[in-house]
Amino acid sequence: MAGSPLSALDVAFLCLESETSPMHMGAVVTFTARGPVDPAALTALLAQRAARLPKLRQRARAELFPPGSASWADDPDFVAAEHVHHVPLSSLYEPDPLAAYASQWIAEPLDTSRPLWDLTLVTGLPGGKFALLLKLHHALTDGAGAYAIAAGLLDGVEQPARTSAPPRSIPAPRSTLDTVKGALGSVWGQANEAAGIASSVVRAARPPLSPISAPLSAERRLGFVRLPLPELRRVRRAHGGTTNDVVLAVLSGALREWLVNRGQRADGRTLRALIPVSVRGRAGTQLGGNKLSGYLCDLPVGEDDPVERLRVVRRAMTRNKAAGPSRGAGALPLLADRVPPLLHRLGTRTAGRAAPMLFDLVITTVPVPPARLSLDGVRVAEIYPFVPLAPRHAVGIAVATYRDSVHVGLQVNGKAVPDVGSLRDAVLKSTARLLDAS
């Protein structure tokens, strides 16, 4: 069955795909079982649930018109079980086997000729744990849609049955002149908005001299950091702002510590983060497609005082929110969604390599509702999301809050950052400093 067309932004994510810059998101979800688990039964259950999700049965199909466009179509050869794998690990020779395996797993690109997802069950972890590793291509959905898809693989999530669209009310007839005026007004409004964003992007561009730039490399390293949510909320109550502001301040301090440990100057410096923002409507429940804008935030890594770092972040994010997600250079995803697909086919990969001229890293937050999640009756313990690395970026950070913890997923370019543990330790040290100062 034919599906919906890919938006221009979805096409852009497909065009950015390369061996050194795979454009899939990832998630590592851990579980603590009270007894042994049956891998065959779990993979069969996951395949059964995946087969019920329409978006996971579809692949991107190129269209002749408009030139460069694509649409989603059911894969006639789709077998859900071919996308679900089991890997047994051992901690006998590797102290952290999950991180070591997941680093290799995240680096492997998805086959863009097939449905754009992959799921791996990992067993044999210390403490009776097992894990699910999920890849979803960014062309398929954004972070909010990714959670909706992942939740459909877990217990207790009802999937809507396929139904025909409800009947639409018939609008009153309009004159040809009114119709033309309406169409021209819409096009003109979108053109003005795109021109404003493009102007902001040009003004925001800087020489590509980021202290955390990286060579093109397919090598990846993953790091997991778990932070106490009640303690971060205590900081928020003491100093104002949002929990997300507190997390950004923690990450600013971590990046400062990490730069210093790498022998680089931090004082007087900022690192610019692209912070994606969902522009899905409150009633939007669709699983697929990207509905994104973004903010640019200069992280105060040059500031040594953790409380002052939080104040600077709060002011910056307040300005961003006052301007709204459709203004400024951070609204780059909105601009990409207004570029014809053919232009993405011709130039997006080249343009993507200019990302360091606009921002140094991506920090994204994946929404996870507080409801208790489980798989075959075994409760979820941790949820670590991972954001794709833009070309020549050394670090990408994704954050998910689940139950009483904030889970930070670190993905780094393995050539530029051979030891992700130093960055993970810096996040923990920065958190401790901010808590002590509060």
Side-chain angles (χ1 to χ4, degrees), residues 125-144:
L125 302 177
K129 284 188 174 183
F130 68 92
L132 288 185
L133 281 58
L134 175 64
K135 285 182 196 172
L136 293 169
H137 200 283
H138 219 324
L140 192 68
T141 189
D142 54 25

Side-chain angles (χ1 to χ4, degrees), residues 54-367:
K55 199 65 183 173
L56 297 187
R57 294 195 294 266
Q58 296 181 330
R59 61 182 177 86
R61 180 181 64 187
E63 300 289 352
L64 294 176
F65 189 83
S69 65
S71 65
W72 297 109
D74 280 354
D75 183 354
D77 301 319
F78 175 71
V79 178
E82 293 179 354
H83 294 259
V84 182
H85 319 284
H86 169 233
V87 174
L89 297 180
S90 170
S91 57
L92 182 61
Y93 303 106
E94 178 63 58
D96 190 357
L98 181 59
Y101 174 76
S103 297
Q104 300 174 13
W105 163 85
I106 198 75
E108 297 173 3
L110 291 166
D111 183 349
T112 55
S113 68
R114 305 176 67 209
L116 296 171
W117 65 280
D118 181 86
L119 184 62
T120 299
L121 171 69
V122 175
T123 57
L125 302 177
K129 284 188 174 183
F130 68 92
L132 288 185
L133 281 58
L134 175 64
K135 285 182 196 172
L136 293 169
H137 200 283
H138 219 324
L140 192 68
T141 189
D142 54 25
Y147 169 75
I149 290 174
L153 301 171
L154 301 175
D155 296 343
V157 181
E158 296 294 329
Q159 295 304 317
R162 286 187 172 184
T163 59
S164 57
R168 291 184 174 183
S169 58
I170 301 175
R174 304 173 66 193
S175 68
T176 302
L177 180 60
D178 287 341
T179 301
V180 171
K181 284 182 177 178
L184 289 176
S186 176
V187 171
W188 181 255
Q190 287 194 9
N192 277 340
E193 182 185 36
I197 298 171
S199 177
S200 298
V201 169
V202 171
R203 292 196 302 271
R206 319 153 299 168
L209 300 175
S210 171
I212 58 172
S213 62
L216 294 176
S217 171
E219 191 175 348
R220 296 290 184 266
R221 298 281 186 275
L222 297 186
F224 312 127
V225 189
R226 186 171 182 173
L227 305 178
L229 179 59
E231 296 297 299
L232 298 181
R233 285 176 171 167
R234 179 170 63 84
V235 174
R236 183 200 66 193
R237 289 192 295 270
H239 300 289
T242 66
T243 302
N244 191 53
D245 294 340
V246 176
V247 172
L248 288 175
V250 165
L251 295 176
S252 299
L255 290 165
R256 172 186 172 84
E257 175 81 11
W258 183 63
L259 282 174
V260 171
N261 290 340
R262 286 161 60 92
Q264 294 179 301
R265 178 179 60 83
D267 291 339
R269 169 169 272 164
T270 61
L271 291 178
R272 182 177 291 172
L274 173 64
I275 301 174
V277 177
S278 175
V279 292
R280 290 175 182 267
R282 289 185 181 273
T285 57
Q286 66 271 36
L287 300 184
N290 285 274
K291 307 292 181 183
L292 287 176
S293 183
Y295 299 137
L296 291 182
C297 181
D298 288 330
L299 304 178
V301 298
E303 175 59 57
D304 186 51
D305 182 348
V307 175
E308 182 59 27
R309 278 198 298 265
L310 175 55
R311 293 194 185 104
V312 173
V313 167
R314 279 186 55 205
R315 289 195 295 266
M317 291 305 292
T318 298
R319 288 193 300 269
N320 277 327
K321 292 168 186 174
S326 61
R327 294 178 179 272
L332 186 64
L334 286 182
L335 178 61
D337 211 25
R338 284 151 176 74
V339 173
L342 181 60
L343 293 185
H344 283 304
R345 300 281 186 186
L346 295 175
T348 291
R349 185 174 295 184
T350 300
R353 296 190 179 187
M357 296 179 65
L358 286 175
F359 52 94
D360 299 303
L361 74 162
V362 175
I363 301 177
T364 189
T365 300
V366 178

Side-chain angles (χ1 to χ4, degrees), residues 377-404:
V378 183
R379 289 181 173 179
V380 168
E382 302 161 308
I383 301 175
Y384 294 100
F386 297 94
V387 67
L389 281 186
R392 301 196 181 281
H393 277 192
V395 178
I397 302 176
V399 179
T401 299
Y402 177 63
R403 307 297 288 177
D404 61 351

